[in-house]
Amino acid sequence: MMKSAPAPHSSVKFTTELSFQVKLHAFLLWASIGFLMPVGILVIRISNRVQCGRRLRFLFFSHVILQMSAVLLATRAAVLSIRNFDNSFSNTHQRMGLGIYGLILAQPLIGFLRPHSFYMIFLEE
């Protein structure tokens, strides 16, 4: 018996869709880890030199918003990869991605457990 080949348009559609998912995954992670997180770090570093309470509060909340946006984008990228890609964790890229995502999720917990920032912003004025 001869096996029939799949229709060419269906495999092209799958390849195009998979290519889009890979590009979206890469863009979300770049925007998260490559742009928003470093900008959030720079914002909080700038706040170390600021004396004005109002400006300090603005910088602190800007930092929080940037960092949480980065975590949400990274979460979206992780969900995208779990739903659409082969996740056997048999290669280094997948294992490192899982480890990095664990560190990304630990970051907000560390930020919430650090009371010094909270007291510095709201009680020193």
Side-chain angles (χ1 to χ4, degrees):
M1 264 188 148
M2 290 181 122
K3 293 183 180 179
S4 62
H9 58 81
S10 65
S11 65
V12 171
K13 180 180 176 192
F14 175 75
T15 303
T16 304
E17 183 179 334
L18 185 60
S19 175
F20 173 76
Q21 298 296 334
V22 169
K23 288 176 185 176
L24 181 61
H25 173 76
F27 175 76
L28 290 172
L29 287 173
W30 171 84
S32 172
I33 298 170
F35 182 72
L36 291 174
M37 281 189 184
V39 171
I41 292 167
L42 290 174
V43 166
I44 205 67
R45 296 285 304 220
I46 290 169
S47 74
N48 291 334
R49 298 182 187 142
V50 174
Q51 299 297 323
C52 175
R54 179 179 238 174
R55 186 176 173 114
L56 188 62
R57 190 173 296 140
F58 173 77
L59 289 172
F60 177 75
F61 284 120
S62 297
H63 166 74
V64 169
I65 289 168
L66 287 165
Q67 296 300 93
M68 291 306 296
S69 298
V71 170
L72 291 174
L73 282 179
T75 301
R76 176 65 180 117
V79 168
L80 180 75
S81 72
I82 289 170
R83 284 188 175 174
N84 297 313
F85 307 144
D86 173 36
N87 290 304
S88 60
F89 298 105
S90 60
N91 66 42
T92 306
H93 181 90
Q94 291 172 341
R95 289 186 202 136
M96 287 181 67
L98 186 62
I100 290 170
Y101 185 66
L103 293 173
I104 289 171
L105 286 181
Q107 184 213 0
L109 296 175
I110 293 168
F112 287 129
L113 295 176
R114 183 176 173 198
H116 173 71
S117 297
F118 179 77
Y119 295 123
M120 180 180 73
I121 298 297
F122 296 106
L123 298 179
E124 285 185 4
E125 198 169 301

